[in-house]
Amino acid sequence: MKKSTWQDNGIINRYRDMLPLKASTPVVSLGEGSTPLVYSSWLSKSIGEGSEVYIKCEGLNPTGSFKDRGMTVAISKAVERHVRLVVCASTGNTSAAAAAYAAHAGISCAVLLPYGKIATGKLLQAFLYGAKIISLHGNFDDALSIVRQLSKDPKVEIVNSINPLRIEGQKTAAFEVVDELGEAPDFHFLPIGNAGNITAYWRGYREYFTCGKCSILPKMIGFQALGAAPLVFGHIVQDPDTIASAIRIGNPASWRLAASALNQSHGFVDAVTDMEILSAQVQLARKEGIFVEPASAASIAGLLKCVSKHSELPIIRRLKEGARIVCTVTGHGLKDLNTPAGTGMCPIESDATVDSVRNILEIG
Ligand code: AN7
């Protein structure tokens, strides 16, 4: 008899035949994947007659972001190879996922984080999961460059998305979308930072297309923050800056792969301002009850920007004419409690009497 069954819901057991794992590879899972695909009547109406917009809520993964999909595969393989130490550079979410899965596997984890630029919740996660936290006097790109140099040492396993197993695990999100909708969407919107996730989704859709599980492929539409938009400008950004700290990346590791996903799918990449990101974050919470971190709101901000500012482009006209659209929101809102959207928070104080509360509610 198995010791437990709950972890059987993870992406490895769900999609093992599509992943590069042996039958004997041990499974290190926290029950990731199978995240909600929520129909948004607000966004569907904003787009146009007959269009359907769905939100893939990746913040509902065990550590609160999509990174868990790749991490279950990377850490499972690390355990198979008897690796004792995993290392990553991170803007926060990768470090939380690496630390959690390493803890679950009983191996050590070290994370390199840009000093002072990590959302509190993510830092706390890495700390509580027991990772060695190295706070680097540099940005994410500096941290990744150091990690690349460490990767030559056979005693350590790098679990950034330069490790191909991460992309393999993350592609399962595309499988889930197709399994649920019965077809691939016409458009898929998502935020871009290090550019691994857009690469992973595109691979997932293509693999499902090849096996006949879907008969169309979506156009991939990526959004970067304006202050950290190397793919949009076509050059490295030396000092990337944005309120969306998760995507504060000036030299994405998967740049080439993401560019080919954008080209092959006939999609495009564009940038949104911090104001647009924060506005989308608040609207998504108020209109749909979905609370995401700022970086995640870039996909929603991007969709809203397409409709309001690019509506004459043929690709956007197509989007408004009864298209099926999926937006991935990548991380949970509770990770980043210092977002400016919260500064207007002002609870109404009341005496502890029913009359006082009635008064406030204006129900006499
Ligand atoms: C919430 O954690 O790069 O384009 O080190 O945390 O695949 O990098 C995070 C990236 C989007 C961008 N949304 O995805 C890290 C890290 C959230 C993220 C992205 C990240 P990629």
Side-chain angles (χ1 to χ4, degrees):
M1 211 174 80
K2 283 189 199 162
K3 264 196 237 152
S4 67
T5 52
W6 65 270
Q7 69 194 39
D8 287 359
N9 299 326
I11 59 124
I12 293 181
N13 284 327
R14 187 166 175 193
Y15 293 114
R16 191 165 197 138
D17 54 343
M18 303 292 285
L19 294 168
L21 299 173
K22 298 187 200 130
S24 58
T25 309
V27 179
V28 180
S29 171
L30 290 164
E32 61 295 317
S34 303
T35 53
L37 186 68
V38 177
Y39 174 74
S40 167
S41 52
W42 161 56
L43 287 168
S44 301
K45 278 190 203 118
S46 314
I47 302 311
E49 201 59 32
S51 289
E52 291 171 24
V53 182
Y54 297 86
I55 302 174
K56 183 71 170 156
C57 299
E58 289 287 278
L60 277 293
N61 276 298
T63 76
S65 90
F66 70 101
K67 303 285 182 183
D68 296 341
R69 293 179 184 276
M71 212 51 80
T72 179
V73 180
I75 301 288
S76 295
K77 270 289 192 187
V79 169
E80 184 183 46
R81 294 185 193 127
H82 305 289
V83 168
R84 299 305 310 159
L85 173 65
V86 296
V87 179
C88 66
S90 181
T91 57
N93 280 324
T94 300
S95 64
Y101 283 78
H104 200 62
I107 60 180
S108 303
C109 174
V111 301
L112 269 73
L113 308 178
Y115 180 85
K117 296 291 183 184
I118 303 295
T120 322
K122 301 174 191 178
L123 198 58
L124 184 61
Q125 283 182 293
F127 178 70
L128 281 181
Y129 294 136
K132 182 171 280 180
I133 301 176
I134 301 168
S135 199
L136 203 76
H137 294 287
N139 61 27
F140 171 82
D141 302 294
D142 301 322
L144 188 61
S145 150
I146 292 170
V147 161
R148 279 184 196 279
Q149 294 168 55
L150 291 178
S151 74
K152 292 176 189 110
D153 188 329
K155 293 190 288 301
V156 299
E157 176 94 346
I158 306 306
V159 293
N160 278 106
S161 56
I162 52 174
N163 178 337
L165 296 165
R166 283 272 317 281
I167 307 278
E168 285 294 318
Q170 284 173 211
K171 76 185 178 187
T172 59
F175 298 163
E176 289 178 13
V177 169
V178 175
D179 286 345
E180 202 152 335
L181 296 178
E183 181 55 281
D186 301 300
F187 293 87
H188 195 121
F189 281 69
L190 70 176
I192 297 184
N194 217 16
N197 212 24
I198 192 163
T199 303
Y201 270 93
W202 181 238
R203 184 176 301 171
Y205 283 126
R206 273 199 350 252
E207 287 184 7
Y208 250 28
F209 185 82
T210 305
C211 330
K213 298 248 193 186
C214 55
S215 62
I216 60 168
L217 285 168
K219 295 187 195 315
M220 304 300 297
I221 319 281
F223 276 88
Q224 300 200 285
L226 187 60
L231 269 84
V232 179
F233 299 133
H235 60 75
I236 292 171
V237 174
Q238 289 300 346
D239 289 307
D241 195 24
T242 167
I243 195 80
S245 58
I247 52 173
R248 189 172 168 271
I249 296 174
N251 186 13
S254 299
W255 192 326
R256 205 177 39 78
L257 291 168
S260 87
L262 292 161
N263 275 335
Q264 287 174 13
S265 75
H266 307 290
F268 63 87
V269 59
D270 193 8
V272 279
T273 64
D274 281 4
M275 284 296 283
E276 288 169 322
I277 287 173
L278 293 173
S279 161
Q281 183 197 27
V282 174
Q283 290 187 76
L284 187 63
R286 301 242 160 123
K287 298 193 191 283
E288 293 298 356
I290 297 173
F291 181 26
V292 302
E293 64 170 289
S296 307
S299 59
I300 307 296
L303 176 59
L304 293 171
K305 178 180 176 183
C306 283
V307 192
S308 67
K309 297 205 177 137
H310 299 321
S311 60
E312 293 320 309
L313 291 178
I315 187 170
I316 305 303
R317 279 213 297 275
R318 165 81 190 82
L319 189 130
K320 296 168 85 167
E321 288 162 2
R324 227 182 208 185
I325 301 155
V326 172
C327 295
T328 295
V329 288
T330 41
H332 203 287
L334 289 172
K335 282 175 172 274
D336 192 347
L337 297 175
N338 297 328
T339 172
T343 51
M345 188 166 65
C346 182
I348 305 165
E349 289 186 35
S350 168
D351 292 335
T353 66
V354 75
D355 283 346
S356 169
V357 173
R358 274 180 183 283
N359 248 342
I360 292 166
L361 296 178
E362 295 174 10
I363 53 175

